[in-house]
Every structure is written in structure tokens, then in C-alpha cells.
Amino acid sequence: MIDHTMIVSFNEPVPDEELDQFLKDIEQLMRDSGQIKSFSAEHHIRVPADEHSPVFAATAILRFGFADLDALNASFAAPGTEELIRRWQARYPYRVVWANHQPL
């Protein structure tokens, strides 16, 4: 099992209902791909120290569970991925970092 943890940071505040839709859209895309074994996502809990983050402060955290490295690699080419990214980036620009790791 390999976990893929994404930290997403939108450039501007995003209404909660829009952020929830973003998370649902990503979850549905990945579930439709047939590659993920598990999925979880949460809004980041902001604290004053976020203003001093050396990279960026998160807006949301997503975790995908994959059976193996092949499934993880295949997820990057899931049908609809490019379209979903373009659509959301056009509405609310964001940045992403991720880490691939054994389950914690």
C-alpha cells in the first residue's frame, strides 16, 4: 500500500461549499479511475502561525491510498484529470505539493 498525500493551497479564500465541491470532484475522478483503494480529505484548520509559513499555508489536505506504485503512477493519467485541473485553476488558482509514502 502506498499513500499519496496532497496539500492544496488556493491563492485566495474559497467559499466552503466551493472547496467541498473541489474535493468531491477530485474524489469522483479518482474513484472513476479505479486506481484508489481509499480516499480522505479535510479542510485545513487555520492558525495565526500560517501567516509565517515558509512555503504556503494549506487550504485542504487529501489522502489517496493505492495498492502499489503502478496504481499511483496510473492515477496521474486518469481520464479527465487535465480538464479538472484546468477548470478549477481557472476559477480559483491553487498550488499543490505532495508526498508519496507508506501508510502512517
Side-chain angles (χ1 to χ4, degrees), residues 20-66:
D20 290 340
Q21 187 60 56
F22 172 78
L23 299 175
K24 286 177 190 173
D25 288 355
I26 292 175
E27 178 180 12
Q28 191 61 56
L29 178 82
M30 288 293 99
R31 290 202 186 280
D32 290 350
S33 79
Q35 299 299 329
I36 64 171
K37 298 290 183 190
S38 63
F39 173 85
S40 58
E42 290 291 339
H43 294 210
H44 170 68
I45 300 168
R46 293 202 50 90
V47 297
D50 287 349
E51 300 304 320
H52 307 290
S53 175
V55 180
F56 58 70
T59 305
I61 298 88
L62 301 87
R63 190 196 51 76
F64 307 89
F66 293 94

Side-chain angles (χ1 to χ4, degrees), residues 1-5 38 63-66 99-104:
M1 183 83 152
I2 296 174
D3 279 354
H4 175 75
T5 300
S38 63
R63 190 196 51 76
F64 307 89
F66 293 94
N100 304 312
H101 53 89
Q102 296 297 318
L104 301 174

